[in-house]
Amino acid sequence: MNGLGGVKRVVVIGLGMTGLSVVHHLVRQSVAYDLDLEIKVIDTRATPPGQESLPSSVELCRGEWNMTWLLAADMIVASPGIALATPELQQAAKAGIEIVGDIELFARAVTKPVVAITGSNGKSTVTSLVGEMAKEANINVGVGGNIGFAALDMLANDHELYVLELSSFQLETTSSLKLKAATYLNLSEDHMDRYDGLADYSAAKMRIFDHAELVVYNRDDLATRPNLSADVAETSFGFDDQDYGLIVLDGQEYLAVDQHPLMPANDIALVGRHNVANSLAALALADAAGIDHESACRALRRYTGLVHRCQLVVQQHDVKWVNDSKATNVASTLAALKGLNLGGKLHLLVGGDGKGADFSELQPVLAELNVQLYCYGRDGALFAPLVESPICVETMAQAMTQAAKTAHAGDMIMLSPACASFDQFPNFMTRGDTFVALAQELQHQVAGANEC
């Protein structure tokens, strides 16, 4: 099943990991099905990442759009970061040229069961957690999409089950993905620089349910529940006792399915109330994928979470350094702050590329904390009105250095920026790695000063 029909000329927009995965997939399909495909790549960057890995048969246009190529294509495969509203893509669409993304190509080629996760926050955790549940059940699982491996690269490994994290950007260009189950975890403001308001953003995410056998929504956030036809099955997760929820037995809270207890909520290795909800969502998907409860609960007891997500990276002289670099929007930072139990002061680092977000929602939560706010980066100044006496600097490193000088025993220094990283770092992973390295260096300096 190649899913390419009579396509002869394909133009891939954007290189990097996703673009290369598309090119390699198309080459594999061309060989497997004896297709006469002409593959070309356009990347408006002068030095696109991954260009050295392109097959010699694939032409590359760098630093500009090539409209001659675009308008001669039978199919355009656009990277998620390229908005469909881009004028060049709009011109191609008006010319009747099909525009898809890598997930649509995956949908047309995959032959094994797939479950998928979207949402403003928590989707990486739930995706990874379902993957861990499958591994506990000895299922050969591929975990990727918007996290880890590109979806198309995983097809070469012939997994028994695929678990995909899908962003709104990916879903915009996906129309035929058939899923055993899909969940939309939550909705909060994000990517407002790309969408015409929250409803437009949510509509992109709702596309995950278009061909799902089972819809899993958040009953504590009903914006995640689609309007369903009568023949589509649905279930939900939340903090009451319905469907996938919570019950109390002998004064202890349990994860439960249809009011039947599975395990104590306190046995979950993940920290924070939001991760109880994430665990319930993962259980619903695991059931749909045929993963037994015993394996799923073993994973819940073992899995401690993702790097860059509320990750304790240094603890010295009773000062904790926490890397929450994956908090790229307001809701993620809110989730991190609401789960805190502090004995001292919170030194909170915020800022970066705000993506047009409104940060005022943080103000009531910050007011309840003993907090010193450090604002850095392009949109750091937008956080300053949220607290009294904010410290505003240019870089994350400057913020960390100041925090290290003033932190005392019992304090926490946390990077939870509520912003994307692109003003100072290529991605949130590099931002988090930089935070970890500098935290270790600063703590060594503090230790050395104390010994003098």
Side-chain angles (χ1 to χ4, degrees):
M1 186 171 72
N2 66 64
L4 296 173
V7 169
K8 298 291 186 183
R9 297 177 297 275
V10 183
V11 175
V12 179
I13 310 295
L15 259 180
M17 183 179 75
T18 300
L20 277 175
S21 76
V22 171
V23 170
H24 293 153
H25 171 73
L26 292 171
V27 170
R28 288 195 303 269
Q29 296 292 83
S30 181
V31 172
Y33 295 96
D34 194 25
L35 303 176
D36 183 22
L37 282 183
E38 178 186 273
I39 306 166
K40 297 183 178 182
V41 177
I42 297 172
D43 195 303
T44 57
R45 293 169 289 190
T47 54
Q51 59 181 324
E52 68 283 351
S53 300
L54 276 178
S56 59
S57 60
V58 176
E59 288 189 72
L60 171 63
C61 174
R62 298 177 299 173
E64 62 181 356
W65 288 92
N66 187 320
M67 292 308 300
T68 301
W69 286 7
L70 273 188
L71 295 176
D74 298 312
M75 173 187 285
I76 295 169
V77 186
S79 283
I82 310 296
L84 290 176
T86 302
E88 291 80 3
L89 290 185
Q90 285 288 296
Q91 187 176 343
K94 289 176 182 176
I97 299 166
E98 183 182 25
I99 302 173
V100 302
D102 67 309
I103 302 302
E104 178 60 21
L105 292 183
F106 173 91
R108 297 179 185 187
V110 69
T111 59
K112 300 296 173 61
V114 186
V115 297
I117 299 95
T118 196
S120 299
N121 296 291
K123 55 186 179 290
S124 295
T125 296
V126 174
T127 303
S128 299
L129 186 48
V130 176
E132 293 302 311
M133 291 173 171
K135 291 174 187 175
E136 286 286 348
N138 294 316
I139 294 171
N140 179 0
V141 62
V143 179
N146 195 46
I147 178 179
F149 297 102
L152 289 169
D153 285 345
M154 294 193 297
L155 287 176
N157 297 317
D158 195 30
H159 295 290
E160 299 172 277
L161 171 70
Y162 295 92
V163 183
L164 299 184
E165 174 188 322
L166 299 178
S167 69
S168 58
F169 295 175
Q170 290 170 311
L171 287 165
E172 287 176 18
T173 52
T174 303
S175 57
S176 63
L177 181 61
K178 295 179 180 178
L179 300 169
K180 293 295 292 184
T183 188
Y184 181 174
L185 297 173
N186 45 58
L187 174 64
S188 61
E189 191 176 78
D190 199 5
H191 302 299
M192 291 298 101
D193 52 349
R194 175 146 165 172
Y195 293 103
D196 294 329
L198 199 60
D200 187 34
Y201 169 53
S202 183
K205 289 193 171 294
M206 281 291 179
R207 292 171 65 94
I208 199 171
F209 294 131
D210 284 354
H211 304 285
E213 293 180 26
L214 176 68
V215 165
V216 181
Y217 68 91
N218 181 351
R219 60 179 176 274
D220 295 324
D221 186 352
L222 291 178
T224 65
R225 186 180 187 181
N227 294 319
L228 297 169
S229 59
D231 59 343
V232 179
E234 68 173 2
T235 191
S236 64
F237 64 93
F239 290 135
D240 60 22
D241 62 359
Q242 301 302 301
D243 294 344
Y244 292 82
L246 300 172
I247 62 172
V248 177
L249 294 175
D250 299 325
Q252 188 173 15
E253 198 173 53
Y254 279 75
L255 303 187
V257 180
D258 295 327
Q259 302 183 0
H260 297 292
L262 290 184
M263 62 179 283
N266 285 339
D267 285 0
I268 298 171
L270 292 166
V271 176
R273 191 66 173 170
H274 59 296
N275 278 321
V276 175
N278 288 337
S279 298
L280 292 166
L283 281 169
L285 296 176
D287 273 352
I291 300 168
D292 64 277
H293 284 165
E294 185 177 345
S295 297
C297 289
R298 281 200 305 270
L300 287 171
R301 289 185 171 95
R302 178 181 57 77
Y303 180 63
T304 56
L306 295 161
V307 177
H308 307 301
R309 192 71 181 98
C310 290
Q311 176 195 18
L312 178 63
V313 294
V314 176
Q315 183 170 2
Q316 197 168 359
H317 306 297
D318 204 24
V319 175
K320 296 179 178 178
W321 294 73
V322 176
N323 170 24
D324 193 33
S325 182
K326 200 172 189 303
T328 57
N329 56 43
V330 172
S332 287
T333 297
L334 280 172
L337 297 180
K338 288 177 179 178
L340 287 181
N341 183 15
L342 283 173
K345 177 176 284 189
L346 173 66
H347 302 260
L348 179 63
L349 281 60
V350 294
D353 177 0
K355 300 177 290 184
D358 176 8
F359 301 115
S360 62
E361 194 177 351
L362 291 167
Q363 192 164 25
V365 179
L366 292 172
E368 297 175 359
L369 295 169
N370 179 12
V371 63
Q372 174 62 62
L373 199 65
Y374 300 80
C375 313
Y376 75 90
R378 190 180 77 186
D379 292 329
L382 300 178
F383 292 88
L386 302 181
V387 299
E388 293 183 7
S389 304
I391 295 175
C392 296
V393 295
E394 290 185 7
T395 69
M396 184 182 76
Q398 291 170 341
M400 293 176 68
T401 300
Q402 292 211 32
K405 291 177 180 177
T406 57
H408 297 93
D411 287 2
M412 176 185 291
I413 302 172
M414 173 185 273
L415 171 68
S416 188
C419 289
S421 60
F422 303 127
D423 62 327
Q424 296 186 358
F425 303 94
N427 50 54
F428 75 82
M429 296 85 78
T430 303
R431 177 173 63 187
D433 291 340
T434 303
F435 175 85
V436 173
L438 187 53
Q440 293 168 343
E441 179 182 331
L442 289 168
Q443 279 302 99
H444 286 315
Q445 292 176 8
V446 170
N450 290 340
E451 291 169 2
C452 295

